[in-house]
Amino acid sequence: MQLTKRRLQFLDKLIELYQRTRLPIHYETLATSLGVSKWTAYDMMKEMEKQGFVSRSYEVNAKETGRSQVVFAPTEQANDLFKQSREDNFDSSDWEHTTAHIRKLLGSVKDSNANEVIRKVMSEISSKASNLEFCGYILGLFLIYIKKLGTKTERLVTGLVSKRLHSESGIQLFVGTVLGTIIQTINDEMGNELTELVSKFLDTLNRLSNNEQRMLSDLLHEALV
């Protein structure tokens, strides 16, 4: 079922907020995120509920004892719509260019310049417009970190995640393991930045299509095995 550009904007934001908290979203929260009135957001949710893209529920209102408030969550139909849309708009040549650049960066890592390559990747991440590119660069960043830590650490990480490489959980395990390994070796500012990037990465990874997740797994498998 087709949605107008305006409704797609609301639905995309609802999905983003829901996946960040894993809780139904109150329409006032949605309105604040989009810079519209709460009634505009509420009316939009009601219309998309009729189309099957959102579901409503009720939860206790912490601000008013004894009263409940309406909250909304995206349905599977909404998630399927956005996954299909991303696959339809996917350009394989862009991904090939991204992976080639990541491989080049990995190949350039030496003991003497690892920090320089890390800074370069960090500076480039913010310019990645597509979700797949962003996730690819995050994997590249953590692959560079384990190379910096040495062959022994790289083998340990590979052994830990090797059986799950071709799955979303394997990608998550890899990033979480590397972050846990390096977090004590970096300064607070860098640690906070990495933590925020990982949080965004996990949220974004969940929004990728199965095909996009497979391509990430292939990138990781090629780099580690």
Side-chain angles (χ1 to χ4, degrees), residues 102 105-106 121 134-145 174 219:
I102 291 172
L105 289 169
L106 288 172
V121 175
F134 170 77
C135 289
Y137 265 76
I138 293 296
L139 290 185
L141 176 65
F142 282 91
L143 285 165
I144 292 168
Y145 264 113
F174 167 74
L219 172 64

Side-chain angles (χ1 to χ4, degrees), residues 48-95:
M48 285 193 286
E49 181 184 20
K50 294 176 184 177
Q51 293 180 284
F53 291 108
V54 304
S55 62
R56 78 166 64 200
S57 58
Y58 299 87
E59 64 180 25
V60 175
N61 188 343
K63 297 179 181 179
E64 297 183 48
T65 304
R67 298 196 63 178
S68 60
Q69 60 184 5
V70 181
V71 290
F72 295 91
T75 63
E76 283 301 315
Q77 182 177 328
N79 292 320
D80 289 344
L81 173 69
F82 274 85
K83 284 186 177 182
Q84 184 61 50
S85 174
R86 286 191 291 272
E87 287 191 338
D88 289 343
N89 294 325
F90 175 73
D91 187 340
S92 60
S93 63
D94 289 342
W95 178 240

Side-chain angles (χ1 to χ4, degrees):
M1 183 181 296
Q2 294 295 318
L3 287 174
T4 65
K5 185 176 181 179
R6 178 73 164 163
R7 291 187 181 184
L8 282 171
Q9 180 186 19
F10 274 78
L11 189 57
D12 186 39
K13 179 57 68 173
L14 178 69
I15 291 173
E16 178 187 333
L17 294 171
Y18 178 78
Q19 291 183 336
R20 188 180 302 165
T21 63
R22 288 297 173 188
L23 294 171
I25 305 301
H26 190 264
Y27 57 89
E28 285 191 42
T29 302
L30 181 63
T32 300
S33 297
L34 290 168
V36 300
S37 73
K38 63 180 182 180
W39 303 120
T40 296
Y42 181 66
D43 289 341
M44 190 67 74
M45 290 297 97
K46 286 198 303 180
E47 290 302 312
M48 285 193 286
E49 181 184 20
K50 294 176 184 177
Q51 293 180 284
F53 291 108
V54 304
S55 62
R56 78 166 64 200
S57 58
Y58 299 87
E59 64 180 25
V60 175
N61 188 343
K63 297 179 181 179
E64 297 183 48
T65 304
R67 298 196 63 178
S68 60
Q69 60 184 5
V70 181
V71 290
F72 295 91
T75 63
E76 283 301 315
Q77 182 177 328
N79 292 320
D80 289 344
L81 173 69
F82 274 85
K83 284 186 177 182
Q84 184 61 50
S85 174
R86 286 191 291 272
E87 287 191 338
D88 289 343
N89 294 325
F90 175 73
D91 187 340
S92 60
S93 63
D94 289 342
W95 178 240
E96 290 172 3
H97 176 76
T98 296
T99 54
H101 186 55
I102 291 172
R103 292 188 195 100
K104 182 178 179 181
L105 289 169
L106 288 172
S108 70
V109 177
K110 301 176 182 177
D111 291 340
S112 60
N113 74 338
N115 288 333
E116 180 182 337
V117 179
I118 287 170
R119 285 193 294 270
K120 179 176 176 59
V121 175
M122 293 284 281
S123 68
E124 292 180 1
I125 285 176
S126 61
S127 66
K128 301 302 133 188
S130 77
N131 289 340
L132 182 59
E133 277 188 306
F134 170 77
C135 289
Y137 265 76
I138 293 296
L139 290 185
L141 176 65
F142 282 91
L143 285 165
I144 292 168
Y145 264 113
I146 63 171
K147 283 186 175 296
K148 177 186 175 183
L149 293 174
T151 303
K152 183 178 179 180
T153 300
E154 187 173 359
R155 287 176 178 171
L156 287 172
V157 172
T158 301
L160 180 63
V161 305
S162 58
K163 293 183 179 180
R164 296 187 182 180
L165 281 180
H166 288 297
S167 67
E168 180 182 349
S169 63
I171 297 173
Q172 294 171 340
L173 179 61
F174 167 74
V175 171
T177 301
V178 178
L179 180 62
T181 303
I182 66 175
I183 198 67
Q184 298 299 324
T185 67
I186 54 182
N187 60 46
D188 290 342
E189 182 178 353
M190 180 64 79
N192 290 335
E193 187 173 359
L194 277 174
T195 301
E196 290 179 6
L197 281 173
V198 169
S199 178
K200 182 179 178 182
F201 169 81
L202 294 175
D203 177 58
T204 305
L205 179 65
N206 193 49
R207 303 180 69 189
L208 296 181
S209 68
N210 291 334
N211 186 44
E212 289 170 327
Q213 290 182 12
R214 179 188 59 77
M215 288 186 285
L216 283 178
S217 295
D218 288 346
L219 172 64
L220 186 56
H221 183 270
E222 179 184 335
L224 289 176
V225 178

